[in-house]
Amino acid sequence: MSARLRDTLPESRSGETLDPQDWDDIRAQGHRMLDDMFDYAADIRARPVWQPIPDDVRARFRSNLPHQPSDLGEVYREFADFILPYATGNVHPGFMGWVHGGGTAVGMLAEMLAAGLNANLGGRDHIPIEVERQIVEWTRQLFNFPDGASGIFVTGTSMANLMAVLVARTAALGRSVRQRGIHDEGARLIAYTSTAAHGCISKAMDIGGFGSNALRSIAIDRTHRIDVAALRERIAEDRNAGLKPFLVVGSAGTVDIGAIDDLAALSALCREEELWFHVDGAYGALGVLSPALAPRLAGLENADSIALDFHKWGQVPYDAGFLIVRDGERHRDTFAAPAAYLRRETRGLAANSPWPCDLGPDLSRGFRALKTWFTLKTYGTEKLGAVITRTCALAAYLEARILAEPRLELLAPVQLNIVCFRYRADDADRVNGDIVIDIQESGIAAPSTTILDGELAIRAAIVNHRTDTCDIDALIAAVLDFGAQRSPADDGVVPKIEGAPPLAM
Ligand SMILES: *Cc1c(COP(=O)(O)O)cnc(C)c1O
């Protein structure tokens, strides 16, 4: 250290550390925060699901960089007044838009503990790495993968799918692709998925350097499952054209309507054709925890890799995505890279190789495993499975209510926990789009929309463990209310209703 820098050292360092001057004070503040967050979850039904952000609140987050300190209590008050009330709402049982997990108090506490340890799970020999390996082992057991399978926490399934595409690439072209690049041979690689697959698969092909045109979107049947015969034909066609099929991505729970591809048929086809079989099981893969759903996921155990999110049906707080690969060697082949400063030893802190940084693009990584470990241990898989089963039962309840209501129309078969429907009206796309926004702004519930066969659908994805029949009833009532307001019969606009009596509104 230069003398000049050293001269800046104060006599006493107590004023320079970031630790509090008074631990009793921060202890009291911390307990208050904890109590507030328990109250937030316990009384969540008293709040709107979501509310629009007032301009002055948004403007508060466009301020200048703070050079001077502020009192923690004041910063916390800002959180309580201007951040907490304007969250997405996925903690609320009325949140049904998109596939979001609800989180738990247990997960929240585990996040606090993880932050306290401030562990970096890129590698090295410390017990947090063993906790992550424990989750890898539990996930391996969950999907009946062999010994030698490997797994890693990532942000989410978008990242896990991208990594799976890269592992499949390495399996197809060999390790040397990492030095050579994909070049001409790689330019001929073709992947396959269905038209109902999540957009992140196409994005993964793009980021992976293959281009999204190298992804074939195969047609789906009425229940949104991939047409396996059409897939087989397309593979043959591509082979005849001199292309090199390498990967099939099946869906276990499509994001639109919760369809599960015929995973057994896909795995058989992939074995026959010698293709990598990856499953996007973002939320659906954890359906194996539900005895009622597990049989529908048959074939998942034959996948070469599975991407899933513990932060959706697993209710672990964000984020907790995961990738598991049947052949751990392929996984390491894709991501392990030597670096002098990451030298491995057989003892000391640099032991315990391979490290998570050998299994993905990240070096520094947080302790996502801890909240997942707490969740799995505290609740057990039977309870978590029962929650998953219940969200599907609630979807069936919503379906029944729609079928019993002549003003509503079901737009897709309910297969899992997602229900797509709409209010019958002239100009139905506009009316239903407005209804969804009206409901979101009302704070009663938060459905989202999707497009099915060119028609706009109200989409309710029931993922949150807190959701109950009263929340479903509130959604239905709100759709009918706002529907009547948006297409009033006295406007001369009479909703078209086949086989139902005219409405009194
Ligand atoms: C949510 C979801 C994704 C994306 O996962 P993230 O965790 O949001 O990155 C991909 N596929 C499906 C089917 C999903 O439901």
Side-chain angles (χ1 to χ4, degrees), residues 77 145-146 253 325 363-364:
R77 203 161 317 122
F145 267 34
V325 180
L363 178 53
S364 293

Side-chain angles (χ1 to χ4, degrees), residues 483-498:
Q485 285 173 33
R486 287 288 171 183
S487 63
D490 61 359
D491 238 0
V493 186
V494 181
K496 264 192 303 220
I497 298 168
E498 288 115 46

Side-chain angles (χ1 to χ4, degrees), residues 152-202:
I152 183 170
F153 274 98
V154 290
T155 39
T157 289
S158 304
M159 178 54 95
N161 281 335
L162 167 61
M163 287 160 62
V165 165
L166 297 176
V167 179
R169 170 214 64 179
T170 310
L173 299 181
R175 271 196 68 128
S176 63
V177 66
R178 295 182 56 194
Q179 288 77 44
R180 288 184 291 113
I182 57 172
H183 286 294
D184 299 348
E185 209 189 351
R188 292 190 294 126
L189 290 185
I190 301 292
Y192 302 82
T193 194
S194 84
T195 54
H198 195 277
C200 67
I201 316 276
S202 165

Side-chain angles (χ1 to χ4, degrees), residues 99 156-159 161 198 200 253-255 280 282-283 309 311-312:
V99 178
T157 289
S158 304
M159 178 54 95
N161 281 335
H198 195 277
C200 67
T254 60
V255 77
D280 176 354
Y283 79 90
D309 284 326
H311 57 226
K312 289 179 175 170

Side-chain angles (χ1 to χ4, degrees), residues 61 74 260 266 285 344 414 472 479 484:
F61 298 93
E74 254 156 53
I260 301 172
L266 286 182
R344 313 302 159 88
V414 176
I472 305 289
V479 170

Side-chain angles (χ1 to χ4, degrees), residues 116-138:
L117 277 185
N118 192 22
N120 178 347
L121 276 83
R124 292 157 290 268
D125 197 13
H126 51 129
I127 212 71
I129 297 278
E130 298 302 332
V131 176
E132 179 154 344
R133 286 183 185 153
Q134 173 74 87
I135 308 290
V136 173
E137 172 58 20
W138 287 346

Side-chain angles (χ1 to χ4, degrees), residues 58-75:
R58 201 183 295 275
R60 298 186 75 93
F61 298 93
R62 311 250 158 103
S63 67
N64 290 329
L65 183 65
H67 294 290
Q68 297 305 317
S70 301
D71 178 66
L72 173 64
E74 254 156 53
V75 178

Side-chain angles (χ1 to χ4, degrees), residues 192-198 215-220 224-227 249-251 254 261:
Y192 302 82
T193 194
S194 84
T195 54
H198 195 277
L215 179 67
R216 306 281 189 249
S217 292
I218 306 298
I220 47 178
H224 282 206
R225 288 152 52 114
I226 190 169
D227 179 341
V249 180
S251 297
T254 60
D261 283 337

